[in-house]
């Protein structure tokens, strides 16, 4: 991993850890449905964020955009 990739990953981690709508959703689920459901939601949010970040870093966003154009979307 080169220095640019490490810097981009560090910025991504800070952005992912900052509070947002997903954190509010997790707190809401924790208060209404309990800790285990909130932990499940948190794991899903983290997994989705990591997948999105890795796909974006590897250029899959452009690949998917071209795929949608090819299919007429």
């Amino acid at each position: 991993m080169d220095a640019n990739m490490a810097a981009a990953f560090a910025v991504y981690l800070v952005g992912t850890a900052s509070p947002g709508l997903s954190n509010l959703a997790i707190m809401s689920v924790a208060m209404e449905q309990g800790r285990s459901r909130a932990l499940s939601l948190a794991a899903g949010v983290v997994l989705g964020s990591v997948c999105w970040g890795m796909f974006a870093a590897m250029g899959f966003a452009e690949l998917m955009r071209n795929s949608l154009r090819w299919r007429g979307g």
Side-chain angles (χ1 to χ4, degrees), residues 15-27 45:
T16 302
S18 65
L21 295 177
S22 58
N23 287 0
L24 293 175
I26 293 167
M27 287 186 281
V45 167

Side-chain angles (χ1 to χ4, degrees), residues 42-67:
V45 167
V46 168
L47 181 62
S49 294
V50 168
C51 287
W52 177 86
M54 294 303 293
F55 287 159
M58 293 187 295
F60 279 107
E62 185 65 27
L63 179 66
M64 291 186 325
R65 189 178 2 240
N66 288 336
S67 172

